């Protein structure tokens, strides 16, 4: 049963990484149509909430007990804080640098907070795995990280990453089960929170062409509904540090998508970085074991 849960968790986390990899390409389409980043985030979250509500109504799923407080807390950390500080970081630092720092911060914060809040042990496997995967991300984006570095941008990206790491730990601590109902609650609160930055920016809407509408629907469906669904389900089966480590594969899926959709040929550094990431995942998930196997915390 434990192996079955582990396998499900790995599959959900990898699916989340693949789905989240679509954000960059789809957002670029909408920004080229005149949408602001804050408006894109609000529209995709609100649209995702509405589409999911219609889906649940059509499926006639039995109502679950509403977990409003956990949903409000998790949406604040995993949707609002992540988006707000990530977007602010992009204004002060190159996108590649933001991605590396954000992902590294998410991985490290999930390990540290997992130890403090959940009493998860920080083993040699966890430490080596995190180090290798973060190094892999840095190798992939290394050439671009040097462009436009600012301390302010790095700090903002770190806050975004730590918030995402805290999101996974908070879900585990509150004992929330992932699923469609909880995903809808997350998106509902996320929409409320994202009204603030969108209102501050003036709700900048672009041209609603057929391409823009399709991109909005894809954003609402793939990384928003399905992405959060897979992430919450992965946290249900795995430790937060494992989920964050597995989601570090997102740049690999993004590179594959860019090659298929945009015909962008990946750099040679992608292959070395991919090797480091996959090697690190083997350590993080104890496929390669250092020392004794870490005891599993209760409820995992």
């Amino acid at each position: 049963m434990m192996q079955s849960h582990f396998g499900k968790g790995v599959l959900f986390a990898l699916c989340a990484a693949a789905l989240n990899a679509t954000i960059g390409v789809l957002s670029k389409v909408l920004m080229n149509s005149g949408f602001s980043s804050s408006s894109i985030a609000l529209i995709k979250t609100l649209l995702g909430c509405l589409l999911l509500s219609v889906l649940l109504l059509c499926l006639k799923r039995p109502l679950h007990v509403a977990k409003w407080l956990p949903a409000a807390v998790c949406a604040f950390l995993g949707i609002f804080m992540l988006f707000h500080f990530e977007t602010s970081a992009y204004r002060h630092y190159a996108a590649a640098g933001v991605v590396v720092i954000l992902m590294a911060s998410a991985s490290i914060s999930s390990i540290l907070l997992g130890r403090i809040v959940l009493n998860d042990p920080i083993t040699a496997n966890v430490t080596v795995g995190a180090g290798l995967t973060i190094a892999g991300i840095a190798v992939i984006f290394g050439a671009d990280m040097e462009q436009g570095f600012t301390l302010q941008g790095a700090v903002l990206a770190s806050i975004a990453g730590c918030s995402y790491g805290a999101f996974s730990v908070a879900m585990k601590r509150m004992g929330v089960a992932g699923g469609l109902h909880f995903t809808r609650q997350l998106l509902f609160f996320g929409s409320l929170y994202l009204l603030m930055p969108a209102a501050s920016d003036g709700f900048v809407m672009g041209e609603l062409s057929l391409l823009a509408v399709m991109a909005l629907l894809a954003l609402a469906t793939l990384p928003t509904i399905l992405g959060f669904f897979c992430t919450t389900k992965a946290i249900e089966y795995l430790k937060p540090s494992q989920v964050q480590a597995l989601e570090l594969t997102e740049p690999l899926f993004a590179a594959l998508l860019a090659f298929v959709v945009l015909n962008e040929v990946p750099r040679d550094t992608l292959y070395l970085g991919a090797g480091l990431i996959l090697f690190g995942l083997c350590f993080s998930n104890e496929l390669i074991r250092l020392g004794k196997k870490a005891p599993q915390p209760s409820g995992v």
Side-chain angles (χ1 to χ4, degrees):
M1 182 64 73
M2 191 67 69
Q3 284 297 111
S4 173
H5 283 182
F6 177 79
K8 288 179 181 178
V10 170
L11 180 61
F12 277 120
L14 291 177
C15 285
L19 290 162
N20 291 338
T22 65
I23 294 175
V25 172
L26 294 171
S27 296
K28 187 179 293 185
V29 170
L30 290 168
M31 288 179 182
N32 290 338
S33 297
F35 288 81
S36 68
S37 57
S38 57
S39 294
I40 293 170
L42 173 61
I43 294 170
K44 74 175 183 180
T45 308
L46 181 58
L47 186 57
C49 183
L50 294 174
L51 289 174
L52 192 48
S53 296
V54 172
L55 176 63
L56 288 170
L57 188 63
C58 293
L59 293 176
K60 296 181 179 179
R61 289 286 188 91
L63 290 175
H64 288 197
V65 177
K67 297 188 176 181
W68 297 111
L69 179 59
V73 172
C74 292
F76 180 77
L77 294 171
I79 296 180
F80 174 70
M81 290 286 287
L82 172 64
F83 161 74
H84 179 69
F85 285 100
E86 180 183 10
T87 304
S88 300
Y90 284 133
R91 296 171 184 163
H92 300 279
Y93 191 12
V98 172
V99 170
V100 175
I101 293 176
L102 190 154
M103 290 186 162
S105 300
S107 180
I108 294 170
S109 65
S110 66
I111 293 171
L112 296 177
L113 289 173
R115 174 59 183 166
I116 297 168
V117 178
L118 305 174
N119 202 30
D120 287 341
I122 301 179
T123 63
N125 268 80
V126 169
T127 305
V128 172
L132 287 171
T133 48
I134 292 169
I137 299 290
V139 167
I140 292 173
F141 293 107
D144 298 323
M145 283 183 66
E146 300 172 1
Q147 300 177 10
F149 172 83
T150 65
L151 180 59
Q152 185 177 3
V155 169
L156 290 168
S158 298
I159 294 173
C162 290
S163 298
Y164 192 52
F167 158 73
S168 58
V169 173
M171 268 203 65
K172 200 75 171 180
R173 179 66 179 85
M174 294 178 176
V176 181
L180 294 177
H181 285 282
F182 186 70
T183 301
R184 179 177 60 175
Q185 292 172 355
L186 279 178
L187 299 182
F188 170 75
F189 280 108
S191 300
L192 295 180
Y193 296 141
L194 291 172
L195 279 170
M196 293 182 285
S200 176
D201 291 344
F203 296 104
V204 180
M205 292 281 291
E207 179 187 355
L208 280 176
S209 62
L210 178 61
L211 180 61
V213 171
M214 290 176 62
L216 281 171
L217 288 172
L219 268 175
T221 305
L222 298 176
T224 307
I225 295 176
L226 295 177
F228 272 105
F229 171 79
C230 289
T231 296
T232 56
K233 292 299 289 185
I235 294 169
E236 186 178 338
Y237 295 122
L238 299 175
K239 293 189 291 186
S241 59
Q242 290 176 307
V243 175
Q244 293 297 336
L246 288 162
E247 290 196 4
L248 287 173
T249 57
E250 181 184 330
L252 306 185
F253 290 109
L256 178 61
L257 184 65
F259 176 72
V260 173
V261 177
L262 304 176
N263 200 29
E264 292 183 359
V265 179
R267 298 175 180 174
D268 292 339
T269 52
L270 175 70
Y271 304 107
L272 174 58
L276 287 170
I277 291 171
L278 295 175
F279 200 38
L281 292 179
C282 289
F283 280 100
S284 296
N285 295 286
E286 298 192 352
L287 299 177
I288 301 175
R289 192 171 300 163
L290 297 171
K292 295 181 180 180
K293 185 176 180 179
Q296 291 288 341
S298 58
V300 178

